[in-house]
Amino acid sequence: MELKYVSKDLYIYESKNSKKEILTFFADGFPGLVFFHSHSQVKVIVGELSKVMEPVFLYGQTLEPIQIEIEGPYFFVMVQLFPSFVEETLEIPISELTNSCWTIKKEEWQSESGFESSIQKHSSELAAEAILQFVKSKAKNFSPDLTLHNCIETILESNGSCEIQNIANELGISERTLQRKFQKSVGLTPKQFATIIRFHTSLHGLNEDKNIKLTDIAYENGYSDQSHFIRQFKSFTKEKPFQFREKKGNMSGSSNF
């Protein structure tokens, strides 16, 4: 099975310092598989809830900001997964993963020798190879829903600025059928997914250019006006864009993907 039907992007974050850091994640439309190594406990925080995690775990749709508290030296590798792969292959209901995490038991991943090698050598590169090999091994019998996959790709290509009815027409199915496919396999409606992708694109723009005007971000990402952009941004980050940018500029020891 080609990985393009299974995973989207791979992120690596590491530190050789001994200080504690907070990694903050916002909605991007995809669940993910994480492998980390740290000599201290790693805690996942969602709102007022927190959970100590094992070295390999899954996280779901991050509709609420999710923070990972980790102390260095450490490495942290994350691969985004297409939602249908999670439920069909790992047999974890995608709806139960929203704003939550699911530990992958050690007996399920310890056969992949690359995990142990990366820990012994404290190598994030070996960790990335190990997690991708683990995903490949799980993907051997995976049969992707190409209609669903093509819809997701179309939404991604438009950065979320698209009409779901038009996509359904191009795929030769009804909008209602497409919506049922999404809710079953993604845990969201196509419109909700598109909204998240548009937000994530605007977040990237805000992070990339600290001088960009909010009106320009709103216009470039298809929001009806600046106030519309601010409302949606706040719904995912719990802060207004200018507050987020000011706070991020003053923060140390944190990262926002």
Side-chain angles (χ1 to χ4, degrees), residues 41-154:
Q41 290 183 331
V42 171
K43 186 185 299 182
V44 176
I45 305 165
V46 184
E48 297 182 357
L49 302 175
S50 65
K51 186 176 182 181
V52 175
M53 300 308 299
E54 296 295 324
V56 181
F57 69 90
L58 277 165
Y59 68 87
Q61 296 284 359
T62 53
L63 303 181
E64 297 285 331
I66 290 183
Q67 294 183 318
I68 295 180
E69 185 178 283
I70 188 168
E71 187 173 333
Y74 68 82
F75 61 71
F76 179 93
V77 181
M78 176 186 73
V79 58
Q80 290 175 313
L81 300 173
F82 283 96
S84 56
F85 172 75
V86 172
E87 183 156 349
E88 182 178 328
T89 306
L90 301 176
E91 298 181 343
I92 300 173
I94 198 68
S95 59
E96 294 185 18
L97 269 176
T98 301
N99 292 326
S100 184
C101 300
W102 192 295
T103 293
I104 303 297
K105 296 178 181 179
K106 188 173 183 179
E107 54 263 32
E108 291 187 43
W109 58 265
Q110 64 183 352
S111 60
E112 174 48 58
S113 61
F115 286 122
E116 189 60 36
S117 296
S118 66
I119 291 173
Q120 292 175 353
K121 298 179 180 180
H122 198 85
S123 169
S124 59
E125 292 184 3
L126 289 178
E129 292 176 7
I131 200 169
L132 288 177
Q133 188 58 44
F134 178 76
V135 170
K136 287 178 181 178
S137 68
K138 293 291 184 180
K140 289 179 179 178
N141 299 316
F142 175 60
S143 298
D145 183 326
L146 295 182
T147 298
L148 180 65
H149 188 85
N150 289 338
C151 180
I152 289 175
E153 289 291 342
T154 299

Side-chain angles (χ1 to χ4, degrees), residues 105-241:
K105 296 178 181 179
K106 188 173 183 179
E107 54 263 32
E108 291 187 43
W109 58 265
Q110 64 183 352
S111 60
E112 174 48 58
S113 61
F115 286 122
E116 189 60 36
S117 296
S118 66
I119 291 173
Q120 292 175 353
K121 298 179 180 180
H122 198 85
S123 169
S124 59
E125 292 184 3
L126 289 178
E129 292 176 7
I131 200 169
L132 288 177
Q133 188 58 44
F134 178 76
V135 170
K136 287 178 181 178
S137 68
K138 293 291 184 180
K140 289 179 179 178
N141 299 316
F142 175 60
S143 298
D145 183 326
L146 295 182
T147 298
L148 180 65
H149 188 85
N150 289 338
C151 180
I152 289 175
E153 289 291 342
T154 299
I155 293 173
L156 290 174
E157 289 169 3
S158 70
N159 291 326
S161 298
C162 54
E163 293 293 333
I164 303 304
Q165 179 64 66
N166 292 342
I167 296 176
N169 291 341
E170 291 175 3
L171 294 172
I173 60 176
S174 69
E175 184 174 1
R176 179 57 185 157
T177 297
L178 185 58
Q179 182 170 312
R180 284 198 297 268
K181 280 180 176 289
F182 251 80
Q183 289 178 315
K184 180 180 181 298
S185 298
V186 181
L188 304 167
T189 67
K191 186 175 181 180
Q192 288 172 325
F193 181 77
T195 297
I196 289 173
I197 297 304
R198 182 164 58 173
F199 153 73
H200 191 68
T201 304
S202 68
L203 176 66
H204 181 74
L206 195 68
N207 284 335
E208 285 290 300
D209 186 353
K210 64 181 181 180
N211 297 315
I212 192 171
K213 296 179 180 178
L214 299 187
T215 51
D216 291 339
I217 294 180
Y219 176 76
E220 290 173 3
N221 291 285
Y223 291 99
S224 56
D225 52 39
Q226 180 176 311
S227 62
H228 181 206
F229 164 58
I230 291 174
R231 285 196 305 273
Q232 286 212 333
F233 190 94
K234 188 177 180 181
S235 72
F236 289 114
T237 66
K238 309 308 176 188
E239 295 179 304
K240 293 181 179 179

